[in-house]
Amino acid sequence: MKSGNNWLTIIIVFVVGVLLIVWHARVDILSWIVVAVGLMLVIPGLYSLISAMVRKKDDGQINYSASSASIVASVGAMALGAWMLIQPTFFVGLLAYIFAALLILYGIFHIIVIGFWAKPIVLPMWFYVIPVLMIVAGVVLLCTSVRTLNSAVVLITGIALVASAVNSLLEMVSMSPARTRQQLPE
């Protein structure tokens, strides 16, 4: 992965984490996130449906035939997005569990990055603390009744994302000089 992509990922994770921390006290924050995800399904689904239905041939003529897979996927995305827009409270509990699962997966991903993908560079053991804490936070969120702890779910997820972004930044900074030395001709 290129360094620019790493920086962009770190910045996005940090910004999302800060926004979740700042907005955690809003009672309806998870509902707003569900509505945003619903819009992110409806709009591309509609665009995909229209583009699948109206395709131009090589000679410039419009071809109105569409693949059934494109139509089914587009209609499915629009239906799920519309359902999320109409009944966001139904998806709030599910979203909290998705946040918990993402924390667990992101923690495991960081352990893999630190332990295996960073080789031959060996990072200090304290780099493993944040990923392990992310996994623990995800497990705690999975075991908690999230319908009553919506703001806690958002706050814990935000803190974990900010800590992960800082940890990723430290990983990149600490691995960069060693990678540069390895790439120099002997």
Side-chain angles (χ1 to χ4, degrees), residues 48-132:
S48 179
L49 180 65
I50 292 169
S51 65
M53 299 284 269
V54 179
R55 290 190 178 153
K56 290 189 177 181
K57 293 182 183 178
D58 291 335
D59 61 0
Q61 298 285 337
I62 294 177
N63 181 8
Y64 290 102
S65 67
S67 70
S68 58
S70 297
I71 292 174
V72 169
S74 300
V75 170
M78 289 183 345
L80 181 61
W83 187 15
M84 293 174 91
L85 292 172
I86 294 168
Q87 275 188 317
T89 55
F90 177 78
F91 292 94
V92 166
L94 179 64
L95 184 65
Y97 287 117
I98 290 172
F99 278 176
L102 286 175
L103 286 178
I104 293 169
L105 292 173
Y106 204 52
I108 292 169
F109 172 74
H110 267 288
I111 289 173
I112 291 170
V113 167
I114 295 168
F116 300 107
W117 291 351
K119 286 186 178 178
I121 301 162
V122 178
L123 295 173
M125 290 302 289
W126 59 270
F127 277 104
Y128 290 92
V129 172
I130 297 295
V132 169

Side-chain angles (χ1 to χ4, degrees), residues 14-185:
F14 183 80
V15 169
V16 169
V18 168
L19 289 175
L20 289 176
I21 291 170
V22 169
W23 290 337
H24 84 279
R26 290 187 56 107
V27 175
D28 58 349
I29 185 66
L30 288 178
S31 294
W32 281 105
I33 293 172
V34 169
V35 168
V37 171
L39 284 173
M40 286 188 269
L41 287 171
V42 168
I43 294 170
L46 182 61
Y47 175 77
S48 179
L49 180 65
I50 292 169
S51 65
M53 299 284 269
V54 179
R55 290 190 178 153
K56 290 189 177 181
K57 293 182 183 178
D58 291 335
D59 61 0
Q61 298 285 337
I62 294 177
N63 181 8
Y64 290 102
S65 67
S67 70
S68 58
S70 297
I71 292 174
V72 169
S74 300
V75 170
M78 289 183 345
L80 181 61
W83 187 15
M84 293 174 91
L85 292 172
I86 294 168
Q87 275 188 317
T89 55
F90 177 78
F91 292 94
V92 166
L94 179 64
L95 184 65
Y97 287 117
I98 290 172
F99 278 176
L102 286 175
L103 286 178
I104 293 169
L105 292 173
Y106 204 52
I108 292 169
F109 172 74
H110 267 288
I111 289 173
I112 291 170
V113 167
I114 295 168
F116 300 107
W117 291 351
K119 286 186 178 178
I121 301 162
V122 178
L123 295 173
M125 290 302 289
W126 59 270
F127 277 104
Y128 290 92
V129 172
I130 297 295
V132 169
L133 288 176
M134 287 179 69
I135 294 169
V136 169
V139 169
V140 167
L141 290 178
L142 281 176
C143 298
T144 305
S145 171
V146 291
R147 292 208 184 266
T148 58
L149 298 173
N150 287 343
S151 87
V153 167
V154 174
L155 181 63
I156 290 170
T157 304
I159 291 170
L161 290 177
V162 168
S164 173
V166 169
N167 198 45
S168 296
L169 178 66
L170 292 174
E171 289 170 20
M172 280 188 61
V173 169
S174 63
M175 287 191 298
S176 180
R179 291 207 190 269
T180 305
R181 282 194 302 272
Q182 286 177 349
Q183 293 173 357
L184 291 176

